[in-house]
Amino acid sequence: PRRRAPAATDRDGDAWAVPRFRGCVSLLELSLCSPRVTADFVARLCFAVPTLSVLRLGPTCLAAPGQGCLAIADALRLLTGLEVLDVAACDWADEAALRRALAGRASSAPGGFGDDDRGRDAVRITADLEVRCREDRVSAAAARRLAADHARVAVVRLPAPS
């Protein structure tokens, strides 16, 4: 019989399986595409596999409100060598969400700080980072503003799927 991973609880109190990441400590690139991917899962993954240089999030990941910003902010805090963050498939990845996440502010509360932001360190981007997003979600002007606000960030706008 197959052994099940131990159950854990995420921020919302939902039980979900937490895989053990033993043996993946030198993983460099990862694509996630599951509706069960939460911000907590991304944070645990990034903590367990700090060597990731490419993180791709699929269209069904982090669909609950606020999860995307929180996950990106956590990934940027924990993955100091991240070179590519691909959120082009994510409907939630618009200018406002990317701006909050790159600034380390996950919440959409006034001023950008809410309960999810308490006790979190600021995001410090220490390596050149390419953020891939969809051109129908982030305008060219918005991409230039994001890049101007974050010296080590290049925003690449990809065509929307037809």
Side-chain angles (χ1 to χ4, degrees):
R2 292 182 73 182
R3 290 172 46 191
R4 296 186 66 161
T9 303
D10 67 10
R11 285 185 179 100
D12 300 322
D14 297 328
W16 54 285
V18 179
R20 298 194 184 212
F21 296 108
R22 283 184 252 156
C24 297
V25 293
S26 61
L27 187 66
L28 298 175
E29 188 169 329
L30 182 65
S31 295
L32 296 173
C33 188
S34 169
R36 296 185 71 186
V37 172
T38 64
D40 276 340
F41 177 85
V42 172
R44 287 183 177 133
L45 174 75
C46 293
F47 183 78
V49 189
T51 56
L52 283 178
S53 59
V54 177
L55 180 59
R56 236 176 246 100
L57 299 174
T60 59
C61 292
L62 307 162
Q67 289 286 297
C69 292
L70 187 58
I72 291 173
D74 284 342
L76 293 174
R77 280 185 195 89
L78 296 167
L79 301 175
T80 57
L82 188 65
E83 296 172 8
V84 175
L85 174 64
D86 188 341
V87 292
C90 303
D91 286 336
W92 53 262
D94 60 9
E95 177 188 6
L98 293 176
R99 182 169 300 287
R100 286 192 309 270
L102 289 170
R105 297 187 310 241
S107 174
S108 58
F113 293 92
D115 290 340
D116 287 333
D117 299 309
R118 291 189 192 128
R120 294 185 185 282
D121 297 326
V123 169
R124 278 181 246 120
I125 300 170
T126 58
D128 291 337
L129 174 66
E130 178 179 300
V131 177
R132 297 177 184 164
C133 57
R134 278 195 346 227
E135 64 185 4
D136 64 333
R137 296 277 176 207
V138 178
S139 69
R144 285 191 298 275
R145 282 192 300 271
L146 287 167
D149 291 347
H150 304 280
R152 302 197 78 153
V153 174
V155 179
V156 176
R157 296 170 60 240
L158 302 175
S162 15

